[in-house]
Amino acid sequence: MTEAKPDLLGSLGGAFDEHHPPARELVDDCVHCGFCLPACPTYSLWGEEMDSPRGRIYLMKEGLEGEPMSPSLVQHVDACLGCMACVTACPSGVQYDKLVEATRQQVERRGAEHRTRGQRLLRSAIFALFPRPERLRLVRPLLALYQRSGLSRLVRPVLARLSPTLATMEAIAPPVGPRVPVPALVPAVGVQRMTVGMLLGCVQREFYPGVNAATARVLAAEGCEVVVPPDQGCCGALSVHAGREAEGLDYARALIDTFSETGVERIVANSAGCGSTMKDYADLLADDPRYAERAADFAARSRDVSEVLAELEPVAQRHPLPMTVAYHDACHLRHAQGVKAQPRAVLATIPELVVKEIAEGDMCCGSAGIYNLTNPEPARELGDRKAANVAATGAELLVTSNPGCLLQITDALGRQGREMPTAHMVLVLDASLRGVGPGDLLT
Ligand code: SF4
Ligand code: SF4
């Protein structure tokens, strides 16, 4: 499906055009009880009704009833993290995820002029780079050179005065290590129990390549043949979550094509935001006669890596990992996918590993896709709050399942002078399977 130009779409007479406005019946599901308010990070930061889920739904209702696309609507929708904590908290089952996704598409088409020029340029730059692994690859040597030069000490204070966004980009950039290629086919160890396809991701592939290699190793160790199409692109998650519908759907179609001939039983993501979007492909491509059926099939086979590992009875030998870790739930795993028990179940199979819960575990760390770049100040406040709660656990290592959270919390811990290392969950399981002890994870 090709996205129609705004002037070719009929207007509903208010903020929204006729192409997938927020659905009236979903808006009407909200009974204004306010149970979601304490769960909402932006309401918690500012205490403003219009920065709560209930307030944002009210703005959508006004838009459906004839109010124009206003700077206020754009501002409050842009200030939402899309963390979906409100979806988990709502006792009435309001599908805020569907509502905000539809509203963001409308804002992109009809309200972008209400953003500052700087914001528009920033968004263009983000989407020209982050969903493009081949471009991220070009950034790697430049970033490595910068990191080795020691210029950071001089540059950081200047950026902090010039632009919070550039300062955030500089601060969260992970140390550039060697690339770790993942073979196109990793055979199962022992008896083959499943064939899985693996998503490489964009940031994950270029800046956390060890995570993809470890994901393939642990799946293979548990009896999975792992198929990794080397020419795969972005899954579209960043674009879809930002309302860039046409771009996101093009990425989704290309990824469906990439995996279409592989015959895999599951398609595994190790990045929460990617997995959540892949599971949404059925809805996203429902209007596309060429892809609707294949998208539904792809979505039905999509899983987070922890779901596949928890589904398979463990067969690979676990070696003791005598250490204490704090587990952070990525919002797009816990709230958007409802995957909370599985990562904990996987970690529980590791002898002598102690897993601590983090206070305010439902609360977003402020990473939220591109949020820490487009809204650096509130993202920083949420990052600081998360880092303090992580440090209070007394754990030796912070574990999570999303590259964005790893970047954000590592930066926040460092800013507070708390030198706690961080790692993706599969690296912890991989260390146990390889019997290397905690040392590998703590350096
Ligand atoms: S979204 Fe749900 S929890 Fe929040 S006010 Fe509406 S009905 Fe209540
Ligand atoms: S998605 Fe997160 S930030 Fe947005 S309204 Fe819901 S709880 Fe608040």
Side-chain angles (χ1 to χ4, degrees):
M1 183 187 68
T2 304
E3 188 179 354
K5 289 198 165 64
D7 55 356
L8 298 179
L9 292 164
S11 170
L12 290 177
F16 308 124
D17 60 40
E18 289 172 349
H19 181 66
H20 298 166
R24 180 76 214 202
E25 60 276 19
L26 299 189
V27 165
D28 289 344
D29 283 342
C30 175
V31 296
H32 319 297
C33 64
F35 282 126
C36 55
L37 270 55
C40 174
T42 54
Y43 184 76
S44 153
L45 285 178
W46 305 315
E48 294 287 339
E49 175 70 15
M50 291 307 157
D51 284 311
S52 76
R54 184 173 64 185
R56 292 182 176 118
I57 292 170
Y58 183 75
L59 289 170
M60 295 169 199
K61 181 169 179 282
E62 282 192 329
L64 288 169
E65 290 172 352
E67 286 297 316
M69 178 67 72
S70 64
S72 167
L73 174 66
V74 174
Q75 177 204 324
H76 293 298
V77 169
D78 280 354
C80 169
L81 292 128
C83 67
M84 309 311 168
C86 49
V87 175
T88 304
C90 176
S92 302
V94 171
Q95 296 179 55
Y96 181 85
D97 48 346
K98 299 274 178 282
L99 289 171
V100 78
E101 191 174 292
T103 305
R104 287 205 152 132
Q105 291 176 10
Q106 299 275 345
V107 166
E108 276 299 306
R109 284 200 298 275
R110 299 165 60 86
E113 77 267 19
H114 295 311
R115 295 181 180 133
T116 64
R117 187 160 175 271
Q119 271 287 335
R120 293 200 297 272
L121 283 172
L122 172 65
R123 283 171 184 262
S124 299
I126 287 171
F127 288 100
L129 179 64
F130 286 93
R132 306 289 293 268
E134 75 283 4
R135 293 183 183 168
L136 287 172
R137 203 163 304 147
L138 298 176
V139 171
R140 281 173 49 87
L142 301 174
L143 185 58
L145 199 64
Y146 169 74
Q147 289 172 342
R148 278 202 299 272
S149 73
L151 281 173
S152 169
R153 273 198 312 277
L154 298 173
V155 170
R156 200 166 276 194
V158 178
L159 288 182
R161 278 200 299 277
L162 279 181
S163 158
T165 294
L166 288 177
T168 300
M169 266 189 198
E170 196 274 346
I172 65 173
V176 179
R179 300 194 76 232
V180 184
V182 182
L185 184 73
V186 181
V189 176
V191 177
Q192 183 175 323
R193 297 195 285 168
M194 194 183 276
T195 306
V196 302
M198 191 174 111
L199 181 81
L200 291 168
C202 301
V203 170
Q204 191 85 284
R205 186 181 330 186
E206 295 305 323
F207 291 100
Y208 287 113
V211 173
N212 281 338
T215 302
R217 271 198 302 273
V218 300
L219 288 167
E222 292 294 17
C224 297
E225 180 184 69
V226 187
V227 180
V228 191
D231 55 349
Q232 59 181 281
C234 175
C235 67
L238 279 187
S239 306
V240 167
H241 294 152
R244 296 167 70 99
E245 184 190 15
E247 180 181 271
L249 297 194
D250 282 346
Y251 283 132
R253 290 185 194 96
L255 195 69
I256 291 169
D257 288 344
T258 300
F259 280 94
S260 63
E261 301 297 326
T262 57
V264 295
E265 296 160 77
R266 305 273 187 274
I267 302 163
V268 172
N270 56 22
S271 165
C274 303
S276 139
T277 297
M278 285 158 53
K279 289 179 179 177
D280 270 352
Y281 277 4
D283 282 349
L284 291 168
L285 288 162
D287 292 347
D288 184 333
R290 282 179 50 234
Y291 277 87
E293 202 175 312
R294 292 165 65 201
D297 175 60
F298 187 103
R301 287 184 288 150
S302 295
R303 299 284 187 284
D304 182 70
V305 60
S306 66
E307 291 181 279
V308 172
L309 291 169
E311 177 186 347
L312 294 165
E313 188 66 25
V315 291
Q317 187 191 354
R318 271 75 170 153
H319 300 275
L321 212 48
M323 65 189 303
T324 303
V325 303
Y327 181 75
H328 163 72
D329 290 288
C331 293
H332 272 92
L333 205 51
R334 180 168 180 157
H335 300 305
Q337 298 184 54
V339 174
K340 181 181 174 190
Q342 295 88 335
R344 289 168 173 79
V346 172
L347 293 172
T349 64
I350 301 173
E352 298 183 32
L353 184 78
V354 177
V355 181
K356 297 261 189 165
E357 292 295 329
I358 301 167
E360 297 187 320
D362 278 341
M363 188 70 74
C364 181
C365 66
S367 168
I370 62 168
Y371 192 87
N372 54 358
L373 301 179
T374 56
N375 296 270
E377 287 94 353
R380 192 180 169 98
E381 279 188 63
L382 292 169
D384 285 342
R385 186 161 159 175
K386 183 62 71 181
N389 282 325
V390 168
T393 63
E396 299 158 82
L397 179 76
L398 183 273
V399 177
T400 188
S401 305
N402 194 48
C405 304
L406 283 169
L407 294 170
Q408 172 82 351
I409 301 175
T410 302
D411 175 47
L413 286 165
R415 208 165 45 236
Q416 295 182 4
R418 306 175 197 268
E419 292 306 324
M420 185 190 291
T422 59
H424 193 287
M425 185 212 69
V426 295
L427 292 178
V428 180
L429 178 58
D430 185 53
S432 168
L433 297 186
R434 291 189 295 129
V436 294
D440 258 26
L441 297 164
L442 296 175
T443 49

